[in-house]
Amino acid sequence: MSRSEEPPYGMPYDRETRYDPPSALLELQDQPVRRIRYYPDGVEGWLVTGHAEGRRVLADPRFVTGERFVHSPTELPHVFVSISEQVPPGFFLFYDPPEHTRLRRKVTGVFTVKRMRELEPRIADIVDARVEALREAGPGADLVREFALPVPALVICEMLGVPYEDRDAFQRNSADMLDLARSVEDRNKSMAELFGYLMQLVPAKRAEPGEDMLSALAADDEVHDVEAAGMGLILLVAGHETTANMLALGTMALLEHPDQLARLTGAPVLWPAAVEELLRYLTVAHNGVMRIVKEDAEIDGRRFRAGEHVTVALQAANRDPGKYERPGDLDVERDAQGHMAFGHGLHQCVGQQLARVEMRIGFAKLFAAFPGLRLAVPSEQIPMRSDMAVYGVHTLPVEW
Ligand code: HEM
């Protein structure tokens, strides 16, 4: 192959706008499955930008997460690259069946639609309290600090049995773990600290059990203490960073699309559909998800070789014009079902029903309490989380 025919280097990740994936990435949608070269050494792998193609890859058991990720689709080492170097036991995102099945099954029951419905009143109380905290903080307050971060953090702490008083340390470590601008060593150090913290909690829970997930895992003979700590780690980190960013970025997007927000005002029945559309439109897992080809596979006539890295760009798949009409428009009344914001297949987000309930209740109560909610600074001044594994805003000053 001549040099000019070599595949492009990496997956574009520099955005021109706050809400849209990079245009250079969307331009690659003409070839929904293509070869790219990975960082740091230019080794060839795959980039999937199509919706149907992405689902096919993620549903195929030959594309796994249980192997070590050593290449990144972007110059910033992908979060998977840093974590897979030192995956803690129990961190089941990086397990393949049958071990993945064994551990994931231990927690799926807690996150069913039925269990989430039972939890709704408690989530509503937490949201009410944070709405009041925001009001007390007064106009100019940071919505991330007063509302978007505490709501999911309080909920997941209560479900797991992690003392919320310890939030300073675990929120700093979670954020550091997901900060792609930090070195891989630093990120792994933050993860190790968080793991150590959870390792101490597990025996304490066995000694004095509560009605929470860590107590149940600590008491389970089929789960080692180290696995319980690793499961606690992934649930704690994934359980609050993602939803917090959806709440803050979703609020900002709605404030900047007043026509869409107006359609929701006074029509709470529309929130569930609006939440799906916000998930699609914003796709906060904005660097996609990665897999490694376990054994040679042929899909749509393309031959994937064992050992190759594959990135499914969820942020592009959710803007696939073959799947959604006018994919670049935020349209809160569209049917966005089938979006890939929670991934797809075996590893599809285990906490998605919880996230949905938190967002439906969170947005509805926030906008009902502050009908005049607006940004307190011009939106260009709001620092975006471009270098973080989970996209969103670092702060969101609001007034009303
Ligand atoms: C997996 C996104 C909320 C726990 C995933 C994946 C995505 C995702 C894209 C798939 C990763 C992959 O396939 O490689 C989101 C978004 C959320 C959210 C956008 C909020 C809006 C939550 C919550 C929890 C959670 C609230 C827990 C309470 C997990 C876990 C996995 C996962 C444990 C790994 C599942 C497995 O490997 O089987 N999430 N998530 N997430 N998520 Fe979420």
Side-chain angles (χ1 to χ4, degrees):
M1 189 186 264
S2 79
R3 227 186 134 62
S4 60
E5 287 168 329
E6 272 187 2
Y9 222 113
M11 169 179 71
Y13 68 94
D14 272 336
R15 294 172 183 252
E16 294 89 355
T17 69
R18 285 183 288 282
Y19 305 117
D20 299 321
S23 55
L25 175 65
L26 298 180
E27 278 160 20
L28 298 181
Q29 284 178 318
D30 62 339
Q31 268 184 57
V33 182
R34 67 163 66 217
R35 286 184 84 67
I36 58 165
R37 287 185 295 150
Y38 277 71
Y39 293 90
D41 49 8
V43 68
E44 284 191 26
W46 297 91
L47 176 67
V48 182
T49 52
H51 185 275
E53 293 79 1
R55 282 169 81 107
R56 269 204 286 289
V57 165
L58 294 178
D60 190 319
R62 293 171 296 182
F63 295 78
V64 302
T65 58
E67 308 271 316
R68 258 179 93 215
F69 293 94
V70 287
H71 305 295
S72 171
T74 68
E75 279 164 290
L76 303 167
H78 195 282
V79 70
F80 280 14
V81 176
S82 74
I83 289 179
S84 70
E85 294 271 323
Q86 293 179 13
V87 181
F91 200 97
F92 56 93
L93 175 57
F94 294 111
Y95 281 33
D96 299 328
E99 286 297 275
H100 172 261
T101 324
R102 174 176 74 85
L103 293 180
R104 182 170 162 127
R105 203 180 278 149
K106 298 285 177 195
V107 297
T108 39
V110 179
F111 293 106
T112 56
V113 174
K114 182 169 170 284
R115 289 292 286 274
M116 290 307 117
R117 209 163 287 141
E118 290 161 8
L119 212 67
E120 272 181 28
R122 179 66 194 127
I123 294 177
D125 285 348
I126 288 175
V127 169
D128 285 339
R130 295 319 304 180
V131 161
E132 281 322 303
L134 180 61
R135 200 187 296 284
E136 271 166 36
D142 175 12
L143 183 112
V144 173
R145 186 192 150 98
E146 303 298 340
F147 183 80
L149 191 57
V151 166
L154 278 158
V155 173
I156 195 67
C157 280
E158 213 168 286
M159 290 178 77
L160 278 174
V162 168
Y164 187 65
E165 306 78 75
D166 296 345
R167 66 186 174 283
D168 282 350
F170 74 69
Q171 285 181 345
R172 192 189 56 243
N173 281 327
S174 314
D176 288 353
M177 242 175 95
L178 301 176
D179 182 349
L180 302 182
R182 284 161 49 94
S183 71
V184 167
E185 295 73 36
D186 280 359
R187 276 191 261 159
N188 280 325
K189 209 168 133 243
S190 303
M191 183 169 63
E193 258 179 48
L194 196 46
F195 183 69
Y197 165 72
L198 287 154
M199 268 305 284
Q200 286 184 331
L201 264 185
V202 172
K205 289 283 170 189
R206 194 165 31 247
E208 254 184 84
E211 296 280 304
D212 53 61
M213 291 174 81
L214 273 183
S215 296
L217 291 171
D220 191 326
D221 292 342
E222 292 170 18
V223 179
H224 294 288
D225 279 11
V226 281
E227 290 176 332
M231 292 169 83
L233 173 67
I234 188 172
L235 290 164
L236 186 59
V237 176
H240 78 277
E241 279 278 339
T242 44
T243 315
N245 281 294
M246 271 304 300
L247 280 171
L249 187 63
T251 300
M252 179 173 166
L254 287 170
L255 293 177
E256 292 214 277
H257 292 81
D259 55 325
Q260 297 300 313
L261 183 56
R263 287 155 81 180
L264 294 161
T265 311
V269 299
L270 296 181
W271 275 111
V275 162
E276 297 310 309
E277 170 65 350
L278 287 166
L279 282 161
R280 178 196 75 83
Y281 181 71
L282 299 170
T283 318
V284 293
H286 68 142
N287 288 314
V289 294
M290 273 165 78
R291 297 291 183 266
I292 288 182
V293 186
K294 177 90 176 160
E295 55 184 86
D296 289 359
E298 195 168 314
I299 297 189
D300 300 340
R302 290 183 189 83
R303 299 177 72 181
F304 296 80
R305 304 263 181 219
E308 286 179 327
H309 283 47
V310 184
T311 302
V312 178
L314 306 177
Q315 68 279 33
N318 277 343
R319 299 289 186 106
D320 183 341
K323 170 73 181 168
Y324 298 105
E325 267 178 45
R326 295 172 290 99
D329 290 359
L330 174 67
D331 174 359
V332 293
E333 285 182 74
R334 85 158 78 223
D335 179 4
Q337 280 182 59
H339 66 72
M340 289 174 69
F342 291 120
H344 184 67
L346 276 186
H347 294 279
Q348 194 181 39
C349 182
V350 82
Q352 59 184 286
Q353 301 307 345
L354 172 61
R356 288 189 165 102
V357 172
E358 289 174 336
M359 284 185 279
R360 287 172 193 165
I361 298 179
F363 286 128
K365 282 186 177 283
L366 177 72
F367 285 105
F370 302 101
L373 195 69
R374 57 188 180 272
L375 300 180
V377 298
S379 57
E380 310 79 57
Q381 287 175 21
I382 291 173
M384 306 305 293
R385 292 171 48 108
S386 306
D387 287 356
M388 304 294 282
V390 182
Y391 189 61
V393 289
H394 286 290
T395 58
L396 191 67
V398 289
E399 53 191 25
W400 51 89

